[in-house]
Amino acid sequence: MKIVFFGTPQFAVPTLEKLLAHPDVQILAVVTQPDKRRERGNKLTPSPVKTLAIAHNLPLWQPERIKKDIETLNQLKQLDADVFVVIAYGQILSKKILNMPKLGCINVHGSILPQYRGAAPIQWCLYNGEQETGITTMLMDAGMDTGNMLLKATTPIQLLDNAQNLADKLAVMGADLLIETLFKLERQEIEPIPQDNSVATYASLIQKQDYNLDWSKTAIQLHNQIRGFYPNCLTTFRNQPLKITAAVPLNSAYIHELPEQVTEKIHKIPDLSTISGQPGEVVSIIKGLGAIVQTGEGLLLLREVQLTGKRPQSGWDFVNGTRLTLGEVLGHS
């Protein structure tokens, strides 16, 4: 099977690796986004997909706007590919491109469609507290993740999953599902299924304001925001920005899902249920774990934080390093 691979971030890498290792697949070329400048040093950085493509000496194209790049369009057509595989490429493909390959363009999407169409399905799925997610392969059309569905695979979401480790898990699932999809489609063993637009949801690009933590929200809502938008959620501490990169809601409904080293220490505090304060207030400190913060409803344990200009640190190291005291309030200037 002759394939052109479109992809950019790490999420796409396991699938390209799987295709490269398959004896019945030939990767004709790879299309990825142009190199981006990093914040520090302002150096141009290749995408993870480009790095892998170079390592395997694959033909590589990085058009600024693929729909307008006549040279790339002509080269794509001349390749006479069986299929284009598209995973988090980052640009919209025109109808002209979608119609080029014999079997069409197959997308590997990080949600159970038609839920969470759009740019950030994994993040919003966590933010909304979903219990399950998965991968959908689909035949692409001109819409935003609206094409006919081919195969699906699902996985439960664990309480301490965040956007990064869940993406890693889904990326591996997507690689396996894509291989199955390709050869079943070639053998005409899949009946494409139209999506029910009436139940579709949209996962928009994350905006800067989405990172801001509002301590009047419930503990589970804040936990879902922190893990969904990992590692960028922000509050303030002593008038300085503070990232919260991992937290745990201290609610009896979730205790059984916490690591043993956390529950052991929590159970040693008999008066935890009687503790209260204003939203954002440090109401308790657990030795070896970190600070407990009052929310609009319930308590939140800060497991990992990051001060401006510093590396991420454990909640306990944060307590010791800043000499945090009870009664201090996060989010107030």
Side-chain angles (χ1 to χ4, degrees):
M1 186 179 292
K2 297 184 296 181
I3 294 172
V4 177
F5 188 89
F6 293 70
T8 299
Q10 181 61 36
F11 185 73
V13 167
T15 300
L16 181 54
E17 289 176 331
K18 196 100 176 180
L19 290 169
L20 286 165
H22 201 287
D24 297 323
V25 166
Q26 179 188 3
I27 302 296
L28 302 176
V30 169
V31 186
T32 191
Q33 289 276 59
D35 295 359
K36 301 293 183 185
R37 293 195 181 278
R38 291 189 303 182
E39 290 181 14
R40 292 185 180 181
N42 206 30
K43 291 182 179 179
L44 282 172
T45 305
S47 73
V49 165
K50 177 180 178 177
T51 300
L52 181 60
I54 291 172
H56 287 267
N57 297 311
L58 296 171
L60 180 72
W61 302 324
Q62 295 179 272
E64 287 282 350
R65 296 184 65 193
I66 192 167
K67 292 193 291 187
K68 303 286 187 180
D69 194 309
I70 302 301
E71 183 180 351
T72 301
L73 292 175
N74 288 336
Q75 289 174 318
L76 281 171
K77 191 169 184 179
Q78 288 169 13
L79 287 175
D80 194 31
D82 294 310
V83 64
F84 292 170
V85 170
V86 184
I87 307 178
Y89 168 50
Q91 293 190 41
I92 301 295
L93 302 187
S94 64
K95 282 188 176 181
K96 184 175 183 179
I97 297 172
L98 295 175
N99 291 333
M100 284 182 187
K102 300 180 183 70
L103 294 175
C105 294
I106 299 178
N107 178 240
V108 178
H109 185 74
S111 79
I112 307 169
L113 290 171
Q115 300 294 314
Y116 298 103
R117 296 172 177 172
I122 297 169
Q123 291 90 334
W124 287 107
C125 181
L126 286 166
Y127 178 87
N128 290 327
E130 302 287 359
Q131 300 296 305
E132 183 182 64
T133 187
I135 291 287
T136 307
T137 54
M138 67 173 170
L139 282 170
M140 295 176 68
D141 62 14
M144 173 65 78
D145 301 325
T146 55
N148 289 348
M149 300 176 294
L150 299 170
L151 295 179
K152 295 183 182 183
T154 62
T155 185
I157 297 175
Q158 305 300 324
L159 180 68
L160 299 185
D161 280 338
N162 63 30
Q164 180 174 296
N165 61 38
L166 186 56
D168 291 343
K169 188 190 306 183
L170 290 174
V172 174
M173 286 177 57
D176 292 333
L177 194 67
L178 187 274
I179 295 293
E180 182 183 356
T181 299
L182 287 176
F183 292 100
K184 282 188 174 180
L185 192 64
E186 186 182 42
R187 297 191 299 266
Q188 298 183 332
E189 295 174 2
I190 301 177
E191 184 67 37
I193 301 172
Q195 295 187 44
D196 183 352
N197 293 327
S198 68
V199 297
T201 59
Y202 181 61
S204 61
L205 280 170
I206 299 164
Q207 306 296 322
K208 255 190 173 181
Q209 61 265 27
D210 294 322
Y211 298 136
N212 296 329
L213 296 172
D214 177 358
W215 292 102
S216 68
K217 290 183 177 179
T218 68
I220 189 63
Q221 286 174 328
L222 287 162
H223 168 67
N224 288 337
Q225 182 180 359
I226 289 163
R227 66 192 185 130
F229 300 151
Y230 174 88
N232 295 310
C233 283
L234 278 170
T235 186
T236 54
F237 170 67
R238 297 174 184 170
N239 298 326
Q240 296 296 319
L242 176 70
K243 283 186 178 181
I244 310 294
T245 51
V248 170
L250 300 183
N251 183 301
S252 58
Y254 309 109
I255 291 293
H256 68 284
E257 295 187 58
L258 301 182
E260 189 176 337
Q261 65 268 30
V262 175
T263 56
E264 281 180 354
K265 289 183 171 66
I266 291 171
H267 288 146
K268 290 179 182 177
I269 306 177
D271 61 344
L272 196 59
S273 60
T274 65
I275 294 173
S276 65
Q278 64 174 302
E281 182 182 348
V282 177
V283 292
S284 185
I285 294 172
I286 302 181
K287 187 176 181 180
L289 287 181
I292 295 176
V293 179
Q294 177 69 52
T295 71
E297 181 184 320
L299 302 174
L300 195 70
L301 169 66
L302 307 186
R303 290 201 73 198
E304 185 182 85
V305 305
Q306 185 175 7
L307 292 158
T308 302
K310 304 289 186 180
R311 294 179 182 274
Q313 60 182 164
S314 71
W316 183 237
D317 286 343
F318 170 65
V319 168
N320 287 328
T322 62
R323 297 183 179 180
L324 185 70
T325 59
L326 296 180
E328 292 198 71
V329 180
L330 303 180
H332 288 212
S333 57

